[in-house]
Amino acid sequence: MSDRSWRGLALLVAGAFFMENLDGTIIATAAPSMAASLGVRSVDINITMTAYLLTLAVFIPVSGWIADRFGARSVFGAAIALFTVASALCAISTSLPELTAMRVVQGIGGAMMVPVGRLVVLRSTAKSDLINAIAYLTWPALVAPILAPVLGGVFTTYASWRWIFVVNLPLGAVGLAIALRIVPNVRDAGRPRLDWLGFVLSGGGLALLVYGLERVSGAQIDWAIVGLTVGIGGVLLGIAVAHLLRRDRPLLDLRTMRVQTFRVTNLSGSFFRMAITAVPFLLPLMFQDAFGWGSLKSGLVVIAVFFGNIGIKPFTTRILRRWGFRTVLITMGISASVSLALCGVLVAGTPLVLTALVLFASGVFRSMSFTAYNTITFADIEPAQMTGANTLASTIQQLTMGLGVAVGALALRLGGPLAAPIGLGHSPVAPYHLAFLLIAILPLLALFGSLRLPRDAGAHLSGPARTASRRRSGTAPADA
């Protein structure tokens, strides 16, 4: 594929990702306004977010099979259309049940957009261009949670919460028109019948697990419900794993975990992703609840993370080619941990410029790490394994997002009773300080996997700037 073609395709998919990621996080800011309009309590709006996340968890595992069965362009285009129509119906909803039902439809569209869109890019991009392509696909997951509070505040303050969904209409229409022109309709004619048992077991287990984790981030925690749903979900997933390993062509191909780079970035890398997902949850709360800032000031300061994300992007490929994936993952993991720990020493009286610099640095480190993780994930995946590997990676990342918010909420709850005994004081900001210090441990845990990577891991993705030969032992698929 030509340079212009893969760039256009990557930008299209990145735009779809941004639309989906933004809708997954923006409702939290608009909840009070939505509740007043629909005649319910603010806390009741949580069901619309839960329904969306549960739908993603159920349908992402089947996205690869659907793309192979009906064609990537057909499925990706249908997903954009479904997401856009559901957005319009969300905007005109007059009751909470209506809105929740439309959020489920949105979730089905989103579950197809994210993994199928990335699959199209992975299949259509040469290995030498993969770093640049993944850099395009990485920014929506980093930027959307940061911009969501600001956009949500602007819409609800100066317009209406309904604009949260209306804004998707022109974006979806343009995206669909472009998708029908440039997305190749690749498919796997030899795809077997759908593994219904695998779909029920994995979808049910993931749904229960995500529901239980989502309950942890609520204002009140019913630990009996959390324990029951997480426990049953874990059992179902255990049964699903045993079933999937027995099938020749399973719904989720767990055998791709034999590839070291794929295994390390999806298992060890999950600790890093959890830490990064927790940050957009903790920062606005600390700024508003502990510092006493308004939502607009809080949102504008958090945008410093966005500038860090974007500011490093022009240098990402050059850095990876110069230093290699292993060195970058180790260095950025340590740096991200330090930046999170620094968030744990900020106070309301900290100069605004210094606060913004800490957040900017955090954005740089997390953006660089995300691009490295997301690129090397598929470095040693053979073309025949790409659908299964992409679907499994998407499923793990969706679960990790739920874990990140839950871990952030748990860290904050632990901060209340433990902050004073360990010398952090009794101030309102003390629980947040401890929460950030606890979250800062997660990127360090991810280092255990990065340290086990060969020094030349992913070197064949870096082009001529890196001449180290690829080590087949450990970085190539075991069954290649």
Side-chain angles (χ1 to χ4, degrees):
M1 176 172 278
S2 69
D3 181 77
R4 182 179 178 182
S5 297
W6 75 254
R7 286 182 188 275
L9 190 58
L11 283 171
L12 168 65
V13 175
F17 282 16
F18 179 77
M19 187 167 61
E20 190 272 335
N21 277 304
L22 188 66
D23 260 41
T25 53
I26 197 171
I27 284 183
T29 307
S33 176
M34 296 172 70
S37 174
L38 299 176
V40 297
R41 300 173 302 167
S42 294
V43 69
D44 294 332
I45 299 297
N46 287 344
I47 192 174
T48 64
M49 293 182 282
T50 302
Y52 185 79
L53 293 174
L54 291 181
T55 306
L56 289 178
V58 170
F59 286 96
I60 282 179
V62 79
S63 61
W65 183 91
I66 294 176
D68 278 345
R69 175 68 178 81
F70 298 102
R73 182 176 61 221
S74 300
V75 175
F76 186 64
I80 294 178
L82 185 63
F83 190 90
T84 305
V85 171
S87 296
L89 295 174
C90 284
I92 62 174
S93 295
T94 57
S95 68
L96 186 59
E98 277 183 38
L99 180 60
T100 303
M102 292 307 102
R103 288 285 284 172
V104 169
V105 178
Q106 253 194 333
I108 295 173
M112 298 298 111
M113 276 201 306
V114 174
V116 174
R118 183 169 65 179
L119 178 62
V120 170
V121 173
L122 291 173
R123 283 177 167 175
S124 306
T125 304
K127 290 282 189 181
S128 59
D129 292 322
L130 199 57
I131 296 176
N132 290 319
I134 295 298
Y136 282 103
L137 301 186
T138 299
W139 70 265
L142 294 168
V143 172
I146 301 301
L147 291 184
V150 179
L151 293 178
V154 169
F155 286 144
T156 55
T157 302
Y158 300 106
S160 165
W161 64 266
R162 300 182 187 277
W163 278 92
I164 290 173
F165 303 107
V166 171
V167 74
N168 290 332
L169 305 188
L171 296 176
V174 172
L176 178 59
I178 297 175
L180 295 177
R181 288 178 59 87
I182 71 172
V183 175
N185 204 31
V186 291
R187 68 179 72 196
D188 181 1
R191 192 71 175 174
R193 296 177 62 185
L194 178 62
D195 175 14
W196 283 102
L197 182 57
F199 174 57
V200 171
L201 289 173
S202 60
L206 287 168
L208 288 170
L209 200 58
V210 168
Y211 178 76
L213 295 173
E214 197 276 335
R215 292 294 295 262
V216 172
S217 61
Q220 299 293 330
I221 301 180
D222 187 335
W223 289 107
I225 295 295
V226 171
L228 185 63
T229 54
V230 170
I232 296 176
V235 170
L236 286 178
L237 287 178
I239 298 172
V241 168
H243 167 76
L244 294 171
L245 288 174
R246 286 196 300 266
R247 288 185 64 92
D248 292 332
R249 299 289 299 273
L251 180 73
L252 291 172
D253 190 0
L254 302 180
R255 297 176 184 86
T256 51
M257 284 294 183
R258 296 173 181 170
V259 183
Q260 186 185 24
T261 47
F262 185 84
R263 181 175 64 253
V264 166
T265 54
N266 278 286
L267 296 184
S268 297
S270 291
F271 290 106
F272 183 87
R273 291 186 178 95
M274 279 190 281
I276 299 310
T277 305
V279 171
F281 169 77
L282 290 172
L283 274 179
L285 286 177
M286 182 173 75
F287 289 157
Q288 295 179 48
D289 292 349
F291 289 12
W293 293 357
S295 58
L296 183 58
K297 180 180 180 180
S298 170
L300 291 175
V301 173
V302 171
I303 285 182
V305 180
F306 160 76
F307 286 116
N309 292 336
I310 299 301
I312 193 62
K313 279 290 176 259
F315 311 101
T316 299
T317 300
R318 193 180 310 168
I319 291 171
L320 286 171
R321 286 179 172 168
R322 173 65 180 85
W323 300 105
F325 286 90
R326 182 179 183 270
T327 300
V328 168
L329 286 174
I330 293 171
T331 305
M332 292 297 110
I334 295 172
S335 301
S337 178
V338 172
S339 69
L340 289 174
L342 289 176
C343 289
V345 298
L346 297 175
V347 295
T350 302
L352 204 57
V353 172
L354 184 57
T355 299
L357 284 175
V358 170
L359 300 187
F360 178 87
S362 174
V364 168
F365 302 141
R366 75 195 213 126
S367 179
M368 193 72 229
S369 297
F370 257 42
T371 298
Y373 273 121
N374 290 342
T375 303
I376 200 173
T377 293
F378 303 100
D380 301 307
I381 297 296
E382 302 297 336
Q385 297 176 298
M386 193 62 77
T387 297
N390 177 66
T391 304
L392 182 58
S394 298
T395 302
I396 292 173
Q397 289 172 21
Q398 178 60 36
L399 182 59
T400 301
M401 289 176 61
L403 278 170
V405 175
V407 168
L410 283 175
L412 185 56
R413 290 181 184 277
L414 289 174
L418 294 181
I422 65 173
L424 293 178
H426 298 274
S427 68
V429 76
Y432 291 94
H433 285 173
L434 181 57
F436 274 109
L437 293 175
L438 291 174
I439 293 298
I441 297 172
L442 294 177
L444 299 180
L445 295 178
L447 294 180
F448 288 104
S450 300
L451 288 167
R452 297 184 64 184
L453 289 172
R455 291 186 180 277
D456 60 356
H460 56 295
L461 302 180
S462 303
R466 286 184 58 83
T467 58
S469 63
R470 181 186 180 190
R471 293 183 184 178
R472 295 299 298 180
S473 59
T475 61
D479 55 349

